[in-house]
Amino acid sequence: QVQLVESGGGLVQAGGSLRLSCVVSGRTFSSYAMGWFRQAPGQEREFVSAITSSGRSTDYSDSVKGRFTISRDNAKNTVYLRMNSLKPEDTAVYYCAASSRSYTATRTPGYYDYWGQGTQVTVSS
């Protein structure tokens, strides 16, 4: 069974930074592409960023491109999301997800096989 546990969320002022982490249990982390999604109250879950299993390819939504950076450490079974220049509209629950489509940094939630429980990010103005 694969389990994902996010951490690093919290309350930050606009313009500040946070780094989210997602630790994945199991010995096959390096075979998964990983993604970050977020969901604000009353809104649908939306794609934030994704990274292929090797880490060579990444993708970002237009709303976070240039501010957020996704990375992974396969030795630590961990994927990160560094968030800089945070805005109030970044406030949401952030979820990490694992996809067996190793070579695709996909934006499609349905392509992800496993999800974490989420971590709250709140950006005050």
Side-chain angles (χ1 to χ4, degrees), residues 42-76:
Q43 298 186 22
E44 295 187 353
R45 190 170 298 189
E46 67 169 347
F47 170 78
V48 174
S49 182
I51 187 168
T52 54
S53 58
S54 66
R56 293 192 185 98
S57 180
T58 59
D59 189 23
Y60 298 91
S61 67
D62 288 344
S63 62
V64 308
K65 192 174 296 182
R67 299 188 297 123
F68 290 11
T69 303
I70 191 170
S71 62
R72 65 188 296 157
D73 185 338
N74 285 348
K76 295 182 178 180

mmCIF file of all heavy atoms in Angstrom, residues 42-76:
data_model
loop_
_atom_site.group_PDB
_atom_site.id
_atom_site.type_symbol
_atom_site.label_atom_id
_atom_site.label_comp_id
_atom_site.label_asym_id
_atom_site.label_seq_id
_atom_site.Cartn_x
_atom_site.Cartn_y
_atom_site.Cartn_z
ATOM 1 N N GLY A 42 -15.053 25.897 -1.780
ATOM 2 C CA GLY A 42 -16.051 26.160 -2.796
ATOM 3 C C GLY A 42 -15.572 26.045 -4.221
ATOM 4 O O GLY A 42 -16.317 26.341 -5.154
ATOM 5 N N GLN A 43 -14.321 25.616 -4.387
ATOM 6 C CA GLN A 43 -13.757 25.499 -5.727
ATOM 7 C C GLN A 43 -13.322 24.062 -6.008
ATOM 8 O O GLN A 43 -13.157 23.261 -5.104
ATOM 9 C CB GLN A 43 -12.564 26.441 -5.888
ATOM 10 C CG GLN A 43 -12.916 27.907 -5.735
ATOM 11 C CD GLN A 43 -11.757 28.820 -6.045
ATOM 12 O OE1 GLN A 43 -10.811 28.444 -6.739
ATOM 13 N NE2 GLN A 43 -11.819 30.048 -5.558
ATOM 14 N N GLU A 44 -13.166 23.773 -7.268
ATOM 15 C CA GLU A 44 -12.699 22.449 -7.657
ATOM 16 C C GLU A 44 -11.197 22.324 -7.429
ATOM 17 O O GLU A 44 -10.470 23.313 -7.392
ATOM 18 C CB GLU A 44 -13.037 22.177 -9.122
ATOM 19 C CG GLU A 44 -14.528 22.094 -9.413
ATOM 20 C CD GLU A 44 -14.806 21.655 -10.831
ATOM 21 O OE1 GLU A 44 -13.856 21.546 -11.623
ATOM 22 O OE2 GLU A 44 -15.987 21.425 -11.148
ATOM 23 N N ARG A 45 -10.760 21.081 -7.296
ATOM 24 C CA ARG A 45 -9.339 20.823 -7.168
ATOM 25 C C ARG A 45 -8.640 21.213 -8.471
ATOM 26 O O ARG A 45 -9.123 20.894 -9.557
ATOM 27 C CB ARG A 45 -9.089 19.356 -6.860
ATOM 28 C CG ARG A 45 -7.669 19.035 -6.473
ATOM 29 C CD ARG A 45 -7.566 17.606 -5.946
ATOM 30 N NE ARG A 45 -8.373 17.421 -4.743
ATOM 31 C CZ ARG A 45 -8.319 16.321 -3.989
ATOM 32 N NH1 ARG A 45 -7.502 15.322 -4.322
ATOM 33 N NH2 ARG A 45 -9.066 16.216 -2.920
ATOM 34 N N GLU A 46 -7.531 21.919 -8.349
ATOM 35 C CA GLU A 46 -6.829 22.370 -9.545
ATOM 36 C C GLU A 46 -5.362 21.949 -9.517
ATOM 37 O O GLU A 46 -4.743 21.820 -8.458
ATOM 38 C CB GLU A 46 -6.919 23.905 -9.691
ATOM 39 C CG GLU A 46 -6.193 24.692 -8.633
ATOM 40 C CD GLU A 46 -6.072 26.175 -8.962
ATOM 41 O OE1 GLU A 46 -6.325 26.575 -10.119
ATOM 42 O OE2 GLU A 46 -5.696 26.935 -8.042
ATOM 43 N N PHE A 47 -4.837 21.743 -10.700
ATOM 44 C CA PHE A 47 -3.441 21.379 -10.879
ATOM 45 C C PHE A 47 -2.531 22.537 -10.499
ATOM 46 O O PHE A 47 -2.819 23.693 -10.824
ATOM 47 C CB PHE A 47 -3.203 20.988 -12.339
ATOM 48 C CG PHE A 47 -1.761 20.827 -12.716
ATOM 49 C CD1 PHE A 47 -1.072 19.691 -12.361
ATOM 50 C CD2 PHE A 47 -1.102 21.831 -13.412
ATOM 51 C CE1 PHE A 47 0.257 19.538 -12.718
ATOM 52 C CE2 PHE A 47 0.218 21.694 -13.768
ATOM 53 C CZ PHE A 47 0.910 20.540 -13.420
ATOM 54 N N VAL A 48 -1.430 22.191 -9.827
ATOM 55 C CA VAL A 48 -0.422 23.195 -9.487
ATOM 56 C C VAL A 48 0.890 22.898 -10.214
ATOM 57 O O VAL A 48 1.412 23.739 -10.932
ATOM 58 C CB VAL A 48 -0.176 23.230 -7.964
ATOM 59 C CG1 VAL A 48 0.973 24.180 -7.625
ATOM 60 C CG2 VAL A 48 -1.455 23.634 -7.227
ATOM 61 N N SER A 49 1.401 21.670 -10.019
ATOM 62 C CA SER A 49 2.697 21.348 -10.601
ATOM 63 C C SER A 49 2.871 19.838 -10.638
ATOM 64 O O SER A 49 2.192 19.112 -9.904
ATOM 65 C CB SER A 49 3.823 21.979 -9.765
ATOM 66 O OG SER A 49 5.091 21.728 -10.338
ATOM 67 N N ALA A 50 3.773 19.371 -11.512
ATOM 68 C CA ALA A 50 4.051 17.941 -11.598
ATOM 69 C C ALA A 50 5.486 17.725 -12.030
ATOM 70 O O ALA A 50 6.116 18.610 -12.626
ATOM 71 C CB ALA A 50 3.091 17.255 -12.566
ATOM 72 N N ILE A 51 5.976 16.523 -11.728
ATOM 73 C CA ILE A 51 7.355 16.182 -12.054
ATOM 74 C C ILE A 51 7.414 14.712 -12.434
ATOM 75 O O ILE A 51 6.729 13.878 -11.824
ATOM 76 C CB ILE A 51 8.284 16.507 -10.857
ATOM 77 C CG1 ILE A 51 9.757 16.331 -11.214
ATOM 78 C CG2 ILE A 51 7.904 15.687 -9.627
ATOM 79 C CD1 ILE A 51 10.706 16.920 -10.145
ATOM 80 N N THR A 52 8.207 14.387 -13.438
ATOM 81 C CA THR A 52 8.319 12.998 -13.843
ATOM 82 C C THR A 52 9.135 12.194 -12.832
ATOM 83 O O THR A 52 9.752 12.760 -11.927
ATOM 84 C CB THR A 52 8.976 12.898 -15.229
ATOM 85 O OG1 THR A 52 10.226 13.620 -15.199
ATOM 86 C CG2 THR A 52 8.085 13.497 -16.300
ATOM 87 N N SER A 53 9.138 10.898 -13.002
ATOM 88 C CA SER A 53 9.808 10.027 -12.033
ATOM 89 C C SER A 53 11.301 10.332 -11.917
ATOM 90 O O SER A 53 11.876 10.230 -10.833
ATOM 91 C CB SER A 53 9.604 8.562 -12.413
ATOM 92 O OG SER A 53 10.102 8.315 -13.715
ATOM 93 N N SER A 54 11.918 10.702 -13.022
ATOM 94 C CA SER A 54 13.354 11.001 -13.011
ATOM 95 C C SER A 54 13.659 12.410 -12.525
ATOM 96 O O SER A 54 14.793 12.726 -12.178
ATOM 97 C CB SER A 54 13.913 10.843 -14.418
ATOM 98 O OG SER A 54 13.364 11.834 -15.277
ATOM 99 N N GLY A 55 12.639 13.252 -12.549
ATOM 100 C CA GLY A 55 12.841 14.648 -12.194
ATOM 101 C C GLY A 55 13.279 15.521 -13.345
ATOM 102 O O GLY A 55 13.460 16.727 -13.186
ATOM 103 N N ARG A 56 13.441 14.936 -14.526
ATOM 104 C CA ARG A 56 13.968 15.696 -15.656
ATOM 105 C C ARG A 56 12.942 16.636 -16.273
ATOM 106 O O ARG A 56 13.299 17.632 -16.905
ATOM 107 C CB ARG A 56 14.479 14.741 -16.727
ATOM 108 C CG ARG A 56 15.695 13.946 -16.322
ATOM 109 C CD ARG A 56 16.322 13.248 -17.523
ATOM 110 N NE ARG A 56 17.435 12.385 -17.117
ATOM 111 C CZ ARG A 56 17.311 11.083 -16.946
ATOM 112 N NH1 ARG A 56 16.161 10.492 -17.155
ATOM 113 N NH2 ARG A 56 18.355 10.364 -16.573
ATOM 114 N N SER A 57 11.667 16.330 -16.089
ATOM 115 C CA SER A 57 10.624 17.149 -16.700
ATOM 116 C C SER A 57 9.640 17.612 -15.644
ATOM 117 O O SER A 57 9.250 16.840 -14.771
ATOM 118 C CB SER A 57 9.893 16.349 -17.777
ATOM 119 O OG SER A 57 8.890 17.125 -18.379
ATOM 120 N N THR A 58 9.278 18.883 -15.730
ATOM 121 C CA THR A 58 8.313 19.459 -14.795
ATOM 122 C C THR A 58 7.265 20.256 -15.563
ATOM 123 O O THR A 58 7.449 20.609 -16.730
ATOM 124 C CB THR A 58 9.003 20.391 -13.782
ATOM 125 O OG1 THR A 58 9.673 21.443 -14.491
ATOM 126 C CG2 THR A 58 10.009 19.637 -12.937
ATOM 127 N N ASP A 59 6.180 20.558 -14.874
ATOM 128 C CA ASP A 59 5.112 21.364 -15.452
ATOM 129 C C ASP A 59 4.499 22.202 -14.345
ATOM 130 O O ASP A 59 4.465 21.767 -13.183
ATOM 131 C CB ASP A 59 4.055 20.466 -16.108
ATOM 132 C CG ASP A 59 3.043 21.254 -16.922
ATOM 133 O OD1 ASP A 59 3.351 22.388 -17.347
ATOM 134 O OD2 ASP A 59 1.920 20.744 -17.143
ATOM 135 N N TYR A 60 4.032 23.386 -14.712
ATOM 136 C CA TYR A 60 3.423 24.301 -13.751
ATOM 137 C C TYR A 60 2.184 24.928 -14.351
ATOM 138 O O TYR A 60 2.124 25.200 -15.562
ATOM 139 C CB TYR A 60 4.395 25.425 -13.379
ATOM 140 C CG TYR A 60 5.662 24.953 -12.706
ATOM 141 C CD1 TYR A 60 6.791 24.654 -13.454
ATOM 142 C CD2 TYR A 60 5.723 24.792 -11.322
ATOM 143 C CE1 TYR A 60 7.950 24.212 -12.854
ATOM 144 C CE2 TYR A 60 6.880 24.355 -10.705
ATOM 145 C CZ TYR A 60 7.996 24.065 -11.474
ATOM 146 O OH TYR A 60 9.147 23.622 -10.869
ATOM 147 N N SER A 61 1.210 25.212 -13.503
ATOM 148 C CA SER A 61 0.075 25.991 -13.960
ATOM 149 C C SER A 61 0.541 27.429 -14.194
ATOM 150 O O SER A 61 1.524 27.881 -13.608
ATOM 151 C CB SER A 61 -1.044 25.959 -12.931
ATOM 152 O OG SER A 61 -0.653 26.651 -11.756
ATOM 153 N N ASP A 62 -0.175 28.118 -15.022
ATOM 154 C CA ASP A 62 0.197 29.503 -15.323
ATOM 155 C C ASP A 62 0.165 30.376 -14.070
ATOM 156 O O ASP A 62 0.935 31.325 -13.948
ATOM 157 C CB ASP A 62 -0.745 30.080 -16.374
ATOM 158 C CG ASP A 62 -0.508 29.486 -17.750
ATOM 159 O OD1 ASP A 62 0.557 28.874 -17.964
ATOM 160 O OD2 ASP A 62 -1.394 29.636 -18.610
ATOM 161 N N SER A 63 -0.722 30.059 -13.146
ATOM 162 C CA SER A 63 -0.893 30.892 -11.964
ATOM 163 C C SER A 63 0.289 30.811 -10.995
ATOM 164 O O SER A 63 0.451 31.706 -10.162
ATOM 165 C CB SER A 63 -2.183 30.518 -11.242
ATOM 166 O OG SER A 63 -2.143 29.180 -10.802
ATOM 167 N N VAL A 64 1.100 29.763 -11.101
ATOM 168 C CA VAL A 64 2.222 29.619 -10.160
ATOM 169 C C VAL A 64 3.571 29.636 -10.853
ATOM 170 O O VAL A 64 4.609 29.685 -10.172
ATOM 171 C CB VAL A 64 2.096 28.336 -9.320
ATOM 172 C CG1 VAL A 64 0.729 28.255 -8.651
ATOM 173 C CG2 VAL A 64 2.362 27.087 -10.151
ATOM 174 N N LYS A 65 3.582 29.592 -12.161
ATOM 175 C CA LYS A 65 4.841 29.540 -12.900
ATOM 176 C C LYS A 65 5.709 30.745 -12.557
ATOM 177 O O LYS A 65 5.228 31.877 -12.531
ATOM 178 C CB LYS A 65 4.561 29.489 -14.401
ATOM 179 C CG LYS A 65 5.758 29.157 -15.261
ATOM 180 C CD LYS A 65 5.331 28.988 -16.708
ATOM 181 C CE LYS A 65 4.406 27.824 -16.898
ATOM 182 N NZ LYS A 65 4.013 27.607 -18.317
ATOM 183 N N GLY A 66 6.967 30.491 -12.255
ATOM 184 C CA GLY A 66 7.888 31.557 -11.882
ATOM 185 C C GLY A 66 7.930 31.824 -10.392
ATOM 186 O O GLY A 66 8.848 32.497 -9.905
ATOM 187 N N ARG A 67 6.956 31.298 -9.653
ATOM 188 C CA ARG A 67 6.918 31.496 -8.196
ATOM 189 C C ARG A 67 7.125 30.193 -7.432
ATOM 190 O O ARG A 67 7.700 30.207 -6.348
ATOM 191 C CB ARG A 67 5.580 32.106 -7.781
ATOM 192 C CG ARG A 67 5.298 33.464 -8.399
ATOM 193 C CD ARG A 67 4.048 34.095 -7.785
ATOM 194 N NE ARG A 67 2.842 33.314 -8.040
ATOM 195 C CZ ARG A 67 2.045 32.834 -7.074
ATOM 196 N NH1 ARG A 67 2.328 33.051 -5.807
ATOM 197 N NH2 ARG A 67 0.964 32.134 -7.387
ATOM 198 N N PHE A 68 6.636 29.096 -7.989
ATOM 199 C CA PHE A 68 6.717 27.798 -7.330
ATOM 200 C C PHE A 68 7.744 26.916 -8.046
ATOM 201 O O PHE A 68 7.923 27.015 -9.274
ATOM 202 C CB PHE A 68 5.371 27.079 -7.372
ATOM 203 C CG PHE A 68 4.295 27.685 -6.505
ATOM 204 C CD1 PHE A 68 4.434 28.924 -5.907
ATOM 205 C CD2 PHE A 68 3.118 26.980 -6.280
ATOM 206 C CE1 PHE A 68 3.436 29.473 -5.113
ATOM 207 C CE2 PHE A 68 2.110 27.504 -5.484
ATOM 208 C CZ PHE A 68 2.258 28.755 -4.920
ATOM 209 N N THR A 69 8.390 26.046 -7.273
ATOM 210 C CA THR A 69 9.351 25.097 -7.845
ATOM 211 C C THR A 69 9.097 23.713 -7.263
ATOM 212 O O THR A 69 9.079 23.552 -6.038
ATOM 213 C CB THR A 69 10.789 25.516 -7.544
ATOM 214 O OG1 THR A 69 11.027 26.835 -8.051
ATOM 215 C CG2 THR A 69 11.769 24.548 -8.202
ATOM 216 N N ILE A 70 8.913 22.746 -8.128
ATOM 217 C CA ILE A 70 8.750 21.364 -7.701
ATOM 218 C C ILE A 70 10.085 20.652 -7.841
ATOM 219 O O ILE A 70 10.850 20.906 -8.779
ATOM 220 C CB ILE A 70 7.653 20.651 -8.515
ATOM 221 C CG1 ILE A 70 7.300 19.299 -7.889
ATOM 222 C CG2 ILE A 70 8.044 20.498 -9.978
ATOM 223 C CD1 ILE A 70 6.050 18.637 -8.497
ATOM 224 N N SER A 71 10.362 19.772 -6.891
ATOM 225 C CA SER A 71 11.584 18.975 -6.958
ATOM 226 C C SER A 71 11.342 17.667 -6.232
ATOM 227 O O SER A 71 10.328 17.513 -5.539
ATOM 228 C CB SER A 71 12.770 19.733 -6.333
ATOM 229 O OG SER A 71 12.527 20.002 -4.961
ATOM 230 N N ARG A 72 12.273 16.741 -6.380
ATOM 231 C CA ARG A 72 12.113 15.460 -5.702
ATOM 232 C C ARG A 72 13.476 14.919 -5.315
ATOM 233 O O ARG A 72 14.493 15.211 -5.965
ATOM 234 C CB ARG A 72 11.367 14.463 -6.585
ATOM 235 C CG ARG A 72 12.086 14.060 -7.855
ATOM 236 C CD ARG A 72 11.156 13.223 -8.750
ATOM 237 N NE ARG A 72 10.783 11.957 -8.113
ATOM 238 C CZ ARG A 72 9.675 11.274 -8.436
ATOM 239 N NH1 ARG A 72 8.865 11.728 -9.374
ATOM 240 N NH2 ARG A 72 9.413 10.129 -7.828
ATOM 241 N N ASP A 73 13.464 14.129 -4.271
ATOM 242 C CA ASP A 73 14.656 13.428 -3.814
ATOM 243 C C ASP A 73 14.275 11.956 -3.727
ATOM 244 O O ASP A 73 13.621 11.531 -2.760
ATOM 245 C CB ASP A 73 15.102 13.979 -2.460
ATOM 246 C CG ASP A 73 16.418 13.380 -1.985
ATOM 247 O OD1 ASP A 73 16.785 12.281 -2.441
ATOM 248 O OD2 ASP A 73 17.069 13.996 -1.142
ATOM 249 N N ASN A 74 14.668 11.191 -4.718
ATOM 250 C CA ASN A 74 14.257 9.784 -4.759
ATOM 251 C C ASN A 74 14.912 8.966 -3.655
ATOM 252 O O ASN A 74 14.389 7.922 -3.260
ATOM 253 C CB ASN A 74 14.564 9.196 -6.133
ATOM 254 C CG ASN A 74 13.584 9.671 -7.198
ATOM 255 O OD1 ASN A 74 12.546 10.267 -6.875
ATOM 256 N ND2 ASN A 74 13.880 9.429 -8.455
ATOM 257 N N ALA A 75 16.028 9.427 -3.139
ATOM 258 C CA ALA A 75 16.663 8.712 -2.033
ATOM 259 C C ALA A 75 15.880 8.876 -0.737
ATOM 260 O O ALA A 75 15.987 8.038 0.168
ATOM 261 C CB ALA A 75 18.093 9.215 -1.846
ATOM 262 N N LYS A 76 15.110 9.957 -0.656
ATOM 263 C CA LYS A 76 14.325 10.222 0.557
ATOM 264 C C LYS A 76 12.834 9.989 0.351
ATOM 265 O O LYS A 76 12.036 10.300 1.236
ATOM 266 C CB LYS A 76 14.556 11.671 1.012
ATOM 267 C CG LYS A 76 15.975 11.962 1.455
ATOM 268 C CD LYS A 76 16.113 13.395 1.943
ATOM 269 C CE LYS A 76 17.526 13.672 2.438
ATOM 270 N NZ LYS A 76 17.679 15.074 2.925
#
